[in-house]
């Protein structure tokens, strides 16, 4: 007993809690020297909070830690930071030892040597270990935070220029500014001379993080005024977010570093929030060391500023030759070289057309760089495939006598030379030479000078395109014909020169050109387009441009329909000949044309031609007319009032009977619909079905026809009629089968009609595209009691394999069979198909039957049912009732 009392005093004196954790029943047995106390998790942490005088949020944080521990480990140690009620932070260490059978020995104590006490002596920033522990604890407790890497731009420059005292002041003030923005939400750690890591507890929402970093960046602008008004101090910031960027602390740290590197490469003085598409992939194994490389380059003569100034100078379009002279003067002022020279060549003739040179003001004797047309091949051979040559000491360079002589003539003792190449085109040579001594080139010299050379080559190419090849901007890069920009640029002037006040525009489009290209290959595709351009070019006084892969826009002077039609026919005929030549399917071209006058705006004229082409679904030329607009407006009105039409019961139920070939009696009917539009006119399905499918609202009509059918069946049943099943079509554009069935069942239950009186027809194309999903859909329908038929069999998607996977009650042959029963091959095929299908215990029906001969033939080969005009066209439900039930 005495020992237990001593242990209890020792624990209280050292602020230690000992307990036994039982993970089976989630209880904690606390040892207090005399009488142990047993708590659940929440009560235990309330006890701990009182014992250590902690604020209340400790309870929830600690509870989460214990609920998410990996109890498969024998020994567990956790470090966490909390706050006391007096506001002071305190570090805790949890130690757990596995005693077996779900029992763990638990000790909890305050950390004596807290990382909080090991602040950076100068800046008072926390050590990195503190940030590491706090971040890992936040991940464990699922507390959102952001990690921020901060780097002071060109810090070495300030140290070298103003001295270490000023440098120290910059660091101290920067830490102070960051702490003011954080408050009690986080901490800052110094992780290098001028590098800092910041943790801030906040939401990972991009906009909120962006707002905080913006405010932080704004606060950093006060650095200059706090340290030295003559200085401009900037920082670059990289940030990652938890949990958005993952739950691995090392990965979050690397992502913030990756964002910082991108900010450095972008030009500094900015903040970057890590995003995959901007910063690139990051893995745990990545070594992100580009920051130091960038800083080394920047520290040397502030080369970044030099490159920025060079780019800005070269972008001056007023006098390009003068801008090159200024650019190499800037480069030379920053670098320790005696001479910079450029020999520009004509990319077609390879003759030198211009020399540029800069000389160091320190040298007394200036030797011009020797380069004439005869020297160009020697340079090309020396530069080789690498496009550069580095000569540290020309006297020991193991190359041809010609090359040695070349350097000797212009007194070159060391040179770093580059060929100015862009996309395989050589624009000349740039040389960085020493004439007064030998220079041994360093790797960073090479990197910077190569970058300057590439920058210069890029601007030379840009100027070349502008001055000597301006029209290429208006040519299709692949086919060499006029592009849309050329057309639009020249159209105004072209129409002003027109003799008459009338003009016309045609848009001509080859259908499915992209998929056709994959079949014929790029070489024949170029032949095809060039052939079309050749046909167009035969016509005088026209202006054309290639709009996209398969479309051309053509302007005509005057309103002569005959000329427009002739051009369309010529192109169409050429496409037909091309298809025959290479044995491909015939290419289809459709076109729309608009006859305009000079009062019409160009944009409106092209828009109307495009409208006519889009409206034109056939292989032909269609001229714009008011009827097109009227029809489009009518269709738009249909779409807008579909819900109103359904609510007002404008969709009427029509039925077409199905007759047994054995008895000649009615065995069922197919539900169809007519639209009594505004009670003013009757619209047939071909006037609105495709439109509703295009707009994705065809399901609304499906449900309305299904409801009309259920209501009709219910009325006949209430009248005591002996009704027959009615089949209803299921659209091939069903978006959600589960919701679709749920809606059907809600309608059917409302009218209390047995499933045996309803048959659902599914199109063949729908099965072909979605076999697996359709099978599941049909299985559910069968389980509910519906019968299911396959509609339009043989209309173009025939897939007998799908019929082995999906069970249909009936197969309906497409009307195209009956339209050609005079063909013996069709008759044989139909006979064999019916025989095959009937062996699978599936009924057969033919639609589109119009003659007695067809009826007799279908009956003779075993077709079960017939549907078609021979018996009846689709009639209203009232007529159907009178004809078949009265």
């Amino acid at each position: 007993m005495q020992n237990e009392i001593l242990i209890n005093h020792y624990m209280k004196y050292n602020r230690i809690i000992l307990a036994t954790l039982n993970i089976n029943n989630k209880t904690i047995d606390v040892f207090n020297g005399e009488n142990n106390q047993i708590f659940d998790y929440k009560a235990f942490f309330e006890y701990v909070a009182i014992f250590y005088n902690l604020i209340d949020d400790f309870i929830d944080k600690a509870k989460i830690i214990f609920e998410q521990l990996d109890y498969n480990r024998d020994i567990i140690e956790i470090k966490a930071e909390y706050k006391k009620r007096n506001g002071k932070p305190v570090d805790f260490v949890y130690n757990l030892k596995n005693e077996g059978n779900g029992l763990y020995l638990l000790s909890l104590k305050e950390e004596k040597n807290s990382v909080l006490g090991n602040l950076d002596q100068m800046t008072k920033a926390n050590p990195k270990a503190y940030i590491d522990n706090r971040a890992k604890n936040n991940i464990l407790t699922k507390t959102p935070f952001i990690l921020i890497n901060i780097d002071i731009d060109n810090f070495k420059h300030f140290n070298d220029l103003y001295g270490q005292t000023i440098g120290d002041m910059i660091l101290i003030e920067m830490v102070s500014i960051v702490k003011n923005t954080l408050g009690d939400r986080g901490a800052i750690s110094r992780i290098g001379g001028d590098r800092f890591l910041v943790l801030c507890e906040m939401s990972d929402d991009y906009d909120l993080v962006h707002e905080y970093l913006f405010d932080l960046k704004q606060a950093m602008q006060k650095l200059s005024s706090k340290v030295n008004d003559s200085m401009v101090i900037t920082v670059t910031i990289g940030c990652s977010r938890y949990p958005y960027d993952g739950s691995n602390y090392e990965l979050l740290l690397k992502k913030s570093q990756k964002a910082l590197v991108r900010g450095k490469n972008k030009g500094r003085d900015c903040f970057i929030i890590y995003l995959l598409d901007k910063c690139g992939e990051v893995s745990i194994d990545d070594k992100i060391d580009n920051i130091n490389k960038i800083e080394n380059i920047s520290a040397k003569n502030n080369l970044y500023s030099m490159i920025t100034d060079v780019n800005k100078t070269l972008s001056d379009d007023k006098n390009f030759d003068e801008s090159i002279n200024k650019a190499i003067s800037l480069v030379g002022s920053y670098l320790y070289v005696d001479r910079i020279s450029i020999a520009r060549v004509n990319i077609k003739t390879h003759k030198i057309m211009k020399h540029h040179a800069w000389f160091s003001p320190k040298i007394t004797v200036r030797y011009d760089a020797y380069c004439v047309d005869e020297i160009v091949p020697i340079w090309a051979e020396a530069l080789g495939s690498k496009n550069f040559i580095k000569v540290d000491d020309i006297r020991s360079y193991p190359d041809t006598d010609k090359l040695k002589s070349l350097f000797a003539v212009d007194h070159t003792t060391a040179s770093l030379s580059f060929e100015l190449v862009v996309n395989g085109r050589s624009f000349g040579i740039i040389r960085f030479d020493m004439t007064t001594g030998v220079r041994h080139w360093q790797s960073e010299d090479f990197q910077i000078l190569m970058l300057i050379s590439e920058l210069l080559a890029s601007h030379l190419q840009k100027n070349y395109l502008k001055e000597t090849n301006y029209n290429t901007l208006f040519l299709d890069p692949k086919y060499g014909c006029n592009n849309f920009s050329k057309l639009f640029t020249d159209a105004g002037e072209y129409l002003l020169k027109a003799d008459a006040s009338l003009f016309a525009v045609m848009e001509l489009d080859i259908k499915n050109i992209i998929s056709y290209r994959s079949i014929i290959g790029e070489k024949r595709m170029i032949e095809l387009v060039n052939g079309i351009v050749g046909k167009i070019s035969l016509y005088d006084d026209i202006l054309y441009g290639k709009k996209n892969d398969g479309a051309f826009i053509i302007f005509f002077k005057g309103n002569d329909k005959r000329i427009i039609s002739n051009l369309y026919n010529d192109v169409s005929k050429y496409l037909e000949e091309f298809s025959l030549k290479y044995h491909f399917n015939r290419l289809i071209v459709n076109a729309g044309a608009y006859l305009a006058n000079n009062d019409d705006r160009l944009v409106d004229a092209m828009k109307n031609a495009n409208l006519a082409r889009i409206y034109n679904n056939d292989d032909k030329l269609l001229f714009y007319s008011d009827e097109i607009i009227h029809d489009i407006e009518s269709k738009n009105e249909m779409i807008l009032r579909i819900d109103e039409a359904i609510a007002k019961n404008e969709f009427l139920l029509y039925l077409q009977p199905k007759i047994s070939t054995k008895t000649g009696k009615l065995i069922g009917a197919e539900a169809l619909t007519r639209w009594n539009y505004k009670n003013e006119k009757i619209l047939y399905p071909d006037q609105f079905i495709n439109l509703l499918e295009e707009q994705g609202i065809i399901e609304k009509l499906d449900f309305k026809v299904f409801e009309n059918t259920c209501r009709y069946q219910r009325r006949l049943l209430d009248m005591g009629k002996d009704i027959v099943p009615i089949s209803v079509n299921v659209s091939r554009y069903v978006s959600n089968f589960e919701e679709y069935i749920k809606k059907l069942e809600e309608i059917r239950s409302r009218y209390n009609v047995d499933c045996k009186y309803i048959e659902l027809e599914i199109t063949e194309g729908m099965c072909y595209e979605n076999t697996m999903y359709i099978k599941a859909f049909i299985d559910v329908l069968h389980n509910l009691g519906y019968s299911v038929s396959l509609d339009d069999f043989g209309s173009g998607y025939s897939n007998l394999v799908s019929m082995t996977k999906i069970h249909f009650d009936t197969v309906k042959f497409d009307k195209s069979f009956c339209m050609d029963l005079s063909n013996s091959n069709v008759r044989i095929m139909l006979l064999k198909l019916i025989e095959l299908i009937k062996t699978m215990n599936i009924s057969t029906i033919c639609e589109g039957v119009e003659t007695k001969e067809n009826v007799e033939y279908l009956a003779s080969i075993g077709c079960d049912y017939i549907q078609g005009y021979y018996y009846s066209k689709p009639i209203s439900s009232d007529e159907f009732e009178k004809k078949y039930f009265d």
Side-chain angles (χ1 to χ4, degrees), residues 211-477:
E211 183 178 351
Y212 171 74
L213 294 179
F214 178 84
D215 292 340
L216 177 62
K217 186 76 175 56
Q218 291 290 98
M220 290 293 183
Q221 293 180 355
K222 299 176 183 177
L223 266 175
S224 300
S225 60
K226 286 180 176 287
V227 180
N228 188 322
D229 285 333
S230 65
M231 299 165 56
V232 178
I233 305 169
T234 62
V235 298
T236 304
I237 297 171
C239 173
S240 62
R241 298 170 282 161
Y242 169 79
Y244 183 86
D245 290 321
S247 58
N248 182 292
Y249 171 66
E250 287 73 22
L251 191 61
L252 290 167
L253 186 60
K254 287 185 181 294
K255 286 184 176 180
S256 69
Q257 293 171 342
K258 189 83 169 182
L260 175 64
V261 169
R262 184 176 187 275
K264 290 289 185 183
N265 287 324
K266 187 179 179 183
R268 297 173 173 76
D269 191 20
C270 62
F271 62 86
I272 300 292
I273 302 172
Y274 178 84
L275 290 173
L276 177 62
D277 59 343
K278 289 185 177 180
C279 301
E281 286 279 0
V282 177
S283 70
I284 296 295
D285 299 326
D286 285 350
K287 293 182 179 180
I288 303 175
D289 56 0
N290 294 337
I291 298 171
N292 293 332
K293 290 182 180 178
I294 295 169
E295 286 308 304
N296 290 338
I297 294 171
S298 176
K300 185 176 180 180
N301 299 321
N302 201 9
L303 287 171
Y304 167 73
S305 299
M306 179 264 291
I307 292 170
T308 303
D309 291 343
V310 168
N311 187 49
K312 184 177 179 181
T313 301
L314 288 172
S315 299
D316 183 7
D317 292 333
K318 294 179 181 177
N319 188 327
F320 188 68
D321 288 347
E322 185 61 30
S323 70
I324 291 180
N325 293 333
K326 287 181 180 179
I328 60 174
S329 175
L330 282 170
V331 175
S333 300
Y334 278 104
L335 299 175
Y336 178 62
V337 293
D338 293 339
R339 177 181 65 208
I340 301 175
S341 62
I342 299 173
R344 289 165 58 191
V345 300
N346 185 303
I347 67 168
K348 294 181 179 179
T349 64
H350 301 289
K351 301 289 186 181
I352 294 175
M353 62 179 189
K354 194 79 176 181
H355 277 103
H356 302 270
W358 171 89
F359 298 92
S360 170
K362 296 179 181 179
I363 61 174
T364 55
V365 181
R366 299 182 176 184
Y367 300 99
D368 289 325
Y370 180 62
C371 195
V372 294
D373 291 337
E374 291 76 14
I375 299 297
V376 173
I378 300 174
W379 268 111
E381 180 183 354
L383 293 168
S385 60
K386 292 183 177 179
N387 298 327
F388 73 88
I389 184 171
K390 181 172 71 173
V391 184
D392 285 345
D393 188 344
I394 188 59
R395 289 166 297 184
S396 61
Y397 190 76
D399 210 321
T400 64
D401 291 336
K402 286 184 179 180
L403 188 59
K404 291 181 180 180
S405 300
L406 171 65
F407 283 114
V409 168
D410 52 32
H411 295 76
T412 303
T413 56
S415 178
L416 187 57
S417 309
F418 300 89
E419 188 173 9
L420 303 170
V421 178
V422 181
N423 295 332
R425 288 176 170 174
S426 177
F427 291 92
I429 298 163
I430 184 169
R431 293 170 50 183
F432 303 92
D433 299 332
M434 298 296 295
T435 61
T436 59
V438 175
R439 177 168 183 171
H440 297 280
W441 302 101
Q442 305 300 315
S443 60
E444 61 183 64
D445 295 327
F446 179 83
Q447 292 169 356
I448 291 298
L449 295 180
M450 182 174 65
L451 178 61
I452 291 170
S453 302
E454 290 176 351
L455 189 64
L456 184 63
S458 175
H459 281 276
L460 284 169
Q461 182 202 37
K462 177 183 176 183
N463 187 66
Y464 166 76
L465 292 175
K466 179 183 176 182
E467 289 185 352
T468 64
N469 212 15
Y470 178 78
N471 285 336
T472 59
L473 298 174
F474 297 111
L475 295 178
D476 186 283

Side-chain angles (χ1 to χ4, degrees), residues 525-642:
M525 186 66 192
I526 293 173
E527 179 187 344
L528 173 67
V529 173
N530 287 338
I532 295 172
V533 171
K535 294 297 180 182
I536 296 174
S537 301
L538 292 175
Y539 285 77
D540 296 328
D541 293 333
I542 67 168
L543 181 70
Y544 76 94
K546 191 167 179 292
K547 183 178 180 182
N548 52 42
D549 277 335
F552 290 84
I553 294 179
I554 305 163
F555 280 97
F556 300 83
K557 293 179 180 178
N559 277 173
D560 193 333
K561 283 187 176 183
R562 180 179 53 83
I563 295 175
I564 300 171
S565 298
N566 287 344
L567 192 154
Y568 170 81
N569 291 333
D570 287 347
V571 171
S572 185
K573 184 178 179 181
Y574 167 74
L575 293 177
E576 185 175 355
E577 293 170 350
F578 184 88
S579 301
L580 290 172
K581 177 181 177 181
Y582 292 112
H583 309 291
F584 294 124
N585 290 333
R586 180 171 175 264
L587 281 166
I588 296 175
V589 58
N590 74 338
Y594 176 69
L595 306 178
N597 56 59
N598 283 347
D599 293 331
D600 285 311
R601 294 170 61 236
L602 288 177
V603 174
D604 292 335
M606 288 189 289
K607 179 181 175 182
N608 290 340
N610 173 259
L611 196 64
R613 184 195 63 75
I614 293 173
Y615 184 81
N616 173 20
N617 293 317
D618 299 323
D619 179 10
K620 64 179 183 180
L621 166 65
L622 179 66
F623 285 90
Y624 175 91
S625 65
D626 291 339
E627 286 74 17
I628 293 176
I629 292 297
H630 176 73
D631 190 51
I632 291 173
E633 289 174 349
S634 298
K635 288 181 177 179
N636 289 337
E637 184 182 14
M638 286 184 196
I639 295 167
L640 291 173
R641 69 177 307 274
I642 183 71

Side-chain angles (χ1 to χ4, degrees), residues 653-659 665-672 709 712-713 715-716 721-727 866-868 871-886:
L653 179 63
Y654 271 62
L655 299 167
Q656 188 173 31
K658 298 177 182 179
I659 306 298
K665 294 184 178 180
L666 178 76
I667 56 90
E670 179 180 2
L672 303 166
T709 302
Y712 182 69
Q713 295 285 58
R715 188 171 67 82
L716 293 179
K721 303 290 186 181
D722 188 12
I723 65 175
V724 294
I726 297 178
S727 60
I866 287 175
Q867 179 182 340
Y871 289 106
S872 174
K873 65 179 182 180
I875 56 177
S876 69
S877 56
D878 290 339
E879 290 181 77
F880 189 87
E881 182 181 344
K882 292 177 182 178
K883 184 173 181 178
Y884 293 101
F885 295 111
D886 293 342

